[in-house]
């Protein structure tokens, strides 16, 4: 069954298909980081390529959904809201691809203090993405409930957890940035690349939160 067929049933089924492809990108972030920190650049290249392939597939699904929107007469939510949701989902995949590309640029030094905290940063960023997927998974049920009742309250609870986790990722991002800036002896290339890697990783959580906030607006209307 193609995306158009899914979309004729419900736009949220097609959006769920796109989110699964986004997760194929983000699920590779831990192995990408592990290879980068341990200097396994062949593995970095391979993982970055896999992420790029799934990002391309995400783009294909996104374009199919966008092309289907004008043909849909009966929509449970505004067309603009759906476009914002898929744009933010696309941003999650885009920024993950950017992260992979950044890690292929150059072998750089890894500050010891950064090694101790980078895993926790990655975990909390992925927690934001995984919670966002949980919300997407519930959208069809929410539509059937007309975006009200216990189903809506359950989604709002998930959205609150997303906001909390994204804030936690911000705190990690600031801490890691301070570590990089205060590491003595770090060469300029390593400093600049680490700053960009940390920022891009944080952007993945930001995009997931933005998507979730659009869904919060739909529920509140």
């Amino acid at each position: 069954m193609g995306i158009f067929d899914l979309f004729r049933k419900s736009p949220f089924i097609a959006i769920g298909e796109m989110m699964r492809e986004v997760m194929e990108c983000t699920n590779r972030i831990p192995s990408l980081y592990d290879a980068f920190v341990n200097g396994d650049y062949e593995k970095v290249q391979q993982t970055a390529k896999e992420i790029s392939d799934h990002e391309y597939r995400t783009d294909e699904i996104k374009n199919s959904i966008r092309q289907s929107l004008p043909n849909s007469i009966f929509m449970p939510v505004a067309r603009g809201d759906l476009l914002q949701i898929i744009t933010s989902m696309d941003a999650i995949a885009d920024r993950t691809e950017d992260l992979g590309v950044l890690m292929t640029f150059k072998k750089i030094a890894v500050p010891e203090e950064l090694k101790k905290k980078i895993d926790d940063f990655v975990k909390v960023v992925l927690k934001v993405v995984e919670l966002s997927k949980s919300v997407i998974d519930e959208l069809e049920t929410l539509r059937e409930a007309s975006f009200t009742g216990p189903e809506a309250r359950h989604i709002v609870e998930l959205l609150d957890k997303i906001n909390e986790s994204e804030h936690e990722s911000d705190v990690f991002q600031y801490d890691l940035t301070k570590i990089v800036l205060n590491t003595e002896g770090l060469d300029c290339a390593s400093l600049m690349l680490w700053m960009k890697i940390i920022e891009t990783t944080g952007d993945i959580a930001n995009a997931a939160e933005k998507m979730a906030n659009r869904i919060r607006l739909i529920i509140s209307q």
Side-chain angles (χ1 to χ4, degrees):
M1 181 179 291
I3 288 296
F4 182 72
D5 297 316
L6 291 174
F7 201 90
R8 283 196 300 184
K9 285 188 172 184
S10 166
F12 296 129
I13 295 176
I15 286 173
E17 180 68 18
M18 181 176 171
M19 190 67 202
R20 281 187 283 279
E21 201 62 38
V22 170
M23 296 297 290
E24 290 288 343
C25 297
T26 58
N27 286 343
R28 286 168 167 77
I29 293 175
S31 58
L32 180 71
Y33 257 102
D34 184 65
F36 186 72
V37 169
N38 290 296
D40 185 351
Y41 284 85
E42 185 176 342
K43 180 70 174 177
V44 169
Q45 295 278 355
Q46 177 191 333
T47 308
K49 172 66 167 56
E50 292 171 0
I51 290 171
S52 181
D53 290 344
H54 285 290
E55 192 279 335
Y56 179 73
R57 174 61 181 150
T58 302
D59 273 344
E60 288 185 323
I61 298 175
K62 174 194 68 181
N63 292 333
S64 296
I65 293 174
R66 282 178 173 170
Q67 289 165 11
S68 301
L69 281 173
N71 301 322
S72 301
I73 300 172
F74 299 107
M75 298 268 282
V77 298
R79 182 177 186 276
D81 288 331
L82 290 177
L83 286 173
Q84 287 291 332
I85 289 171
I86 64 173
T87 296
S88 296
M89 288 168 64
D90 185 46
I92 298 171
D94 280 346
R95 299 309 280 161
T96 306
E97 182 184 42
D98 291 343
L99 181 64
V101 171
L102 284 169
M103 289 185 177
T104 63
F105 281 168
K106 184 177 174 62
K107 293 183 180 180
I108 58 174
V110 184
E112 283 301 317
E113 195 173 353
L114 198 66
K115 278 185 181 178
K116 298 173 185 173
K117 297 190 175 184
I118 202 78
D119 283 349
D120 289 336
F121 179 45
V122 170
K123 283 177 184 174
V124 75
V125 167
L126 292 181
K127 183 179 178 183
V128 178
V129 178
E130 286 161 5
L131 286 168
S132 300
K133 180 184 181 296
S134 298
V135 172
I136 293 294
D137 288 344
E138 296 286 341
L139 282 180
E140 180 58 18
T141 302
L142 190 61
R143 180 189 69 84
E144 292 171 354
S146 301
F147 298 92
T148 60
E151 292 84 1
R153 287 194 290 276
H154 171 60
I155 295 296
V156 169
E157 289 174 0
L158 285 175
L159 295 172
D160 289 343
K161 290 179 181 176
I162 289 170
N163 293 146
E164 291 169 8
S165 295
E166 197 283 330
H167 173 70
E168 193 178 352
S169 78
D170 282 343
V171 173
F172 268 109
Q173 184 175 340
Y174 301 148
D175 285 348
L176 295 180
T177 300
K178 285 173 62 178
I179 289 171
V180 171
L181 289 174
N182 289 286
T183 299
E184 294 183 4
L186 197 63
D187 62 279
C188 184
S190 296
L191 187 149
M192 292 180 65
L193 194 50
W194 267 119
M195 294 287 284
K196 197 65 183 173
I197 286 171
I198 292 168
E199 178 188 5
T200 303
T201 305
D203 285 347
I204 294 168
N206 291 339
E209 185 191 40
K210 189 174 181 180
M211 180 188 76
N213 285 339
R214 176 57 59 172
I215 294 169
R216 188 189 293 276
L217 284 176
I218 293 172
I219 293 173
S220 67
Q221 290 171 357

